[in-house]
Coordinates of all heavy atoms in Angstrom, one line a residue:
G14 N -150.5 -82.2 13.8 CA -149.1 -82.2 14.2 C -148.9 -83.2 15.4 O -148.1 -82.8 16.3
S15 N -149.5 -84.3 15.3 CA -149.5 -85.2 16.4 C -148.1 -85.8 16.7 O -147.8 -86.3 17.8 CB -150.5 -86.3 16.3 OG -150.2 -87.2 15.2
T16 N -147.2 -85.8 15.7 CA -145.9 -86.5 15.8 C -144.9 -85.6 16.4 O -143.8 -86.0 16.5 CB -145.5 -87.1 14.5 OG1 -145.5 -86.0 13.5 CG2 -146.4 -88.3 14.1
G17 N -145.2 -84.3 16.6 CA -144.3 -83.3 17.1 C -144.2 -83.2 18.6 O -144.9 -84.0 19.3
S18 N -143.4 -82.3 19.1 CA -143.3 -82.2 20.5 C -144.6 -81.9 21.2 O -144.9 -82.6 22.2 CB -142.2 -81.1 20.7 OG -142.2 -80.7 22.1
I19 N -145.3 -80.9 20.8 CA -146.6 -80.6 21.4 C -147.6 -81.8 21.1 O -148.4 -82.1 22.1 CB -147.2 -79.3 20.8 CG1 -146.3 -78.2 21.3 CG2 -148.6 -79.1 21.3 CD1 -146.4 -77.8 22.7
G20 N -147.6 -82.4 20.0 CA -148.5 -83.5 19.7 C -148.2 -84.6 20.6 O -149.2 -85.3 21.3
T40 N -152.7 -86.0 12.5 CA -152.1 -85.6 11.3 C -150.6 -85.3 11.5 O -150.2 -84.9 12.7 CB -152.7 -84.4 10.7 OG1 -152.1 -83.1 11.2 CG2 -154.2 -84.3 10.7
A41 N -149.7 -85.6 10.5 CA -148.3 -85.5 10.7 C -147.7 -84.8 9.3 O -148.4 -84.9 8.3 CB -147.7 -86.7 11.0
G42 N -146.5 -84.4 9.4 CA -145.8 -83.9 8.3 C -145.2 -85.1 7.5 O -145.7 -85.3 6.3
G43 N -144.2 -85.6 8.1 CA -143.6 -86.8 7.2 C -143.2 -88.0 8.1 O -142.7 -88.9 7.6
Q63 N -148.8 -85.4 5.5 CA -148.8 -84.3 4.6 C -148.0 -84.7 3.4 O -148.4 -84.5 2.3 CB -148.1 -83.1 5.3 CG -148.4 -81.8 4.6 CD -147.3 -81.5 3.5 OE1 -146.2 -81.9 3.7 NE2 -147.7 -80.6 2.6
I89 N -155.3 -82.8 5.3 CA -155.2 -82.3 6.7 C -156.2 -81.2 6.9 O -156.9 -81.2 8.0 CB -153.8 -81.7 6.8 CG1 -152.7 -82.8 6.7 CG2 -153.7 -80.9 8.1 CD1 -151.3 -82.4 7.0
A103 N -151.1 -77.9 16.3 CA -149.7 -78.0 16.8 C -148.8 -78.4 15.6 O -147.8 -79.1 15.7 CB -149.5 -79.1 17.9
I104 N -149.3 -77.9 14.4 CA -148.3 -78.0 13.2 C -147.4 -76.8 13.5 O -147.7 -75.8 14.1 CB -149.1 -77.8 11.9 CG1 -150.0 -79.0 11.8 CG2 -148.2 -77.6 10.7 CD1 -151.0 -78.9 10.6
V105 N -146.2 -76.9 13.0 CA -145.2 -75.8 13.1 C -145.2 -74.9 11.9 O -145.3 -75.4 10.7 CB -143.7 -76.4 13.4 CG1 -143.2 -77.2 12.3 CG2 -142.7 -75.2 13.7
G106 N -145.2 -73.6 12.1 CA -145.1 -72.6 11.0 C -146.4 -72.2 10.5 O -147.5 -72.7 10.8
A108 N -147.6 -73.1 7.9 CA -148.3 -74.3 7.3 C -149.5 -74.6 8.1 O -150.4 -75.3 7.6 CB -147.4 -75.4 7.2
A126 N -151.3 -74.1 19.8 CA -149.9 -74.0 20.1 C -149.2 -73.3 18.9 O -148.2 -72.6 19.1 CB -149.3 -75.5 20.2
N127 N -149.7 -73.5 17.7 CA -149.1 -73.0 16.5 C -149.2 -71.5 16.4 O -150.1 -70.8 15.8 CB -149.9 -73.6 15.3 CG -149.6 -73.1 14.0 OD1 -150.4 -72.7 13.1 ND2 -148.2 -72.9 13.7
K128 N -148.3 -70.8 17.2 CA -148.3 -69.4 17.3 C -148.1 -68.7 15.9 O -148.6 -67.5 15.7 CB -147.3 -68.8 18.3 CG -145.8 -69.2 17.8 CD -144.8 -68.8 19.0 CE -144.7 -70.1 19.9 NZ -143.9 -70.0 21.0
E129 N -147.4 -69.4 15.0 CA -147.2 -68.7 13.7 C -148.5 -68.3 12.9 O -148.6 -67.4 12.2 CB -146.3 -69.6 12.8 CG -144.9 -69.7 13.4 CD -144.7 -71.1 14.3 OE1 -145.8 -71.6 14.7 OE2 -143.6 -71.5 14.4
D153 N -149.5 -72.0 24.2 CA -148.1 -71.3 24.4 C -148.1 -71.0 25.9 O -149.0 -70.4 26.4 CB -147.9 -70.2 23.6 CG -146.5 -69.9 23.1 OD1 -145.6 -70.6 23.7 OD2 -146.3 -69.0 22.4
S154 N -147.1 -71.4 26.7 CA -147.2 -71.4 28.1 C -147.3 -69.9 28.7 O -148.0 -69.7 29.6 CB -145.9 -72.0 28.7 OG -144.7 -71.4 28.2
W205 N -136.7 -76.5 28.1 CA -137.8 -77.1 27.4 C -137.2 -78.0 26.3 O -136.3 -77.6 25.6 CB -138.7 -76.1 26.7 CG -139.3 -75.1 27.6 CD1 -138.8 -73.8 27.9 CD2 -140.5 -75.0 28.3 NE1 -139.5 -73.1 28.8 CE2 -140.7 -73.8 29.0 CE3 -141.5 -76.0 28.4 CZ2 -141.8 -73.6 29.8 CZ3 -142.7 -75.8 29.1 CH2 -142.8 -74.4 29.8
S206 N -137.9 -79.2 26.0 CA -137.6 -80.0 25.0 C -138.6 -79.7 23.8 O -139.8 -80.0 24.1 CB -137.6 -81.4 25.4 OG -137.8 -82.3 24.3
M207 N -138.2 -79.2 22.7 CA -139.2 -78.7 21.8 C -138.7 -79.0 20.3 O -137.5 -79.5 20.2 CB -139.3 -77.1 21.8 CG -139.5 -76.6 23.2 SD -139.7 -74.8 23.4 CE -138.0 -74.2 23.0
G208 N -139.6 -78.8 19.3 CA -139.2 -78.9 18.0 C -137.9 -78.0 17.5 O -137.7 -77.1 18.3
A209 N -137.3 -78.3 16.4 CA -136.1 -77.6 16.1 C -136.3 -76.1 15.8 O -135.6 -75.3 16.2 CB -135.5 -78.3 14.7
I211 N -138.8 -74.0 16.8 CA -139.1 -73.1 18.0 C -137.8 -73.1 18.9 O -137.6 -72.1 19.6 CB -140.3 -73.6 18.8 CG1 -140.7 -72.6 19.9 CG2 -140.3 -74.9 19.2 CD1 -141.8 -72.9 20.7
M269 N -145.1 -78.8 29.2 CA -146.3 -78.3 28.2 C -147.5 -79.0 28.4 O -148.6 -78.6 28.0 CB -145.9 -78.4 26.8 CG -144.8 -77.4 26.4 SD -145.3 -75.6 26.8 CE -146.6 -75.3 25.7
Ligands
NAD401 P1 -142.3 -80.0 16.0 O1 -141.5 -79.7 14.9 O2 -141.9 -80.9 17.1 O3 -143.7 -80.7 15.5 C1 -144.4 -80.2 14.3 C2 -145.5 -81.1 13.9 O4 -146.1 -80.5 12.6 C3 -145.1 -82.5 13.5 O5 -146.2 -83.3 13.8 C4 -144.8 -82.4 12.0 O6 -144.8 -83.6 11.4 C5 -145.9 -81.5 11.6 N1 -145.6 -80.7 10.4 C6 -144.5 -80.0 10.1 N2 -144.5 -79.5 8.9 C7 -145.9 -79.6 8.4 C8 -146.6 -79.3 7.3 N3 -146.0 -78.5 6.3 N4 -147.8 -79.7 7.1 C9 -148.4 -80.5 8.1 N5 -147.8 -80.9 9.2 C10 -146.5 -80.4 9.3 O7 -142.8 -78.7 16.6 P2 -143.4 -78.4 18.1 O8 -142.2 -78.0 19.0 O9 -144.3 -79.5 18.5 O10 -144.2 -77.0 17.9 C11 -145.5 -77.0 17.3 C12 -146.0 -75.6 17.4 O11 -146.2 -75.3 18.8 C13 -145.1 -74.5 16.9 O12 -145.8 -73.5 16.2 C14 -144.4 -74.0 18.2 O13 -144.1 -72.6 18.0 C15 -145.6 -74.2 19.2 N6 -145.1 -74.3 20.5 C16 -144.3 -75.4 20.9 C17 -143.8 -75.5 22.2 C18 -143.0 -76.7 22.6 O14 -142.8 -76.8 23.8 N7 -142.7 -77.6 21.7 C19 -144.3 -74.6 23.2 C20 -145.0 -73.5 22.7 C21 -145.5 -73.4 21.4

Side-chain angles (χ1 to χ4, degrees):
S15 64
T16 57
S18 166
I19 292 288
T40 84
Q63 198 269 336
I89 293 186
I104 292 172
V105 60
N127 176 224
K128 65 190 88 185
E129 295 92 343
D153 214 351
S154 55
W205 302 91
S206 159
M207 312 181 285
I211 182 177
M269 288 306 293

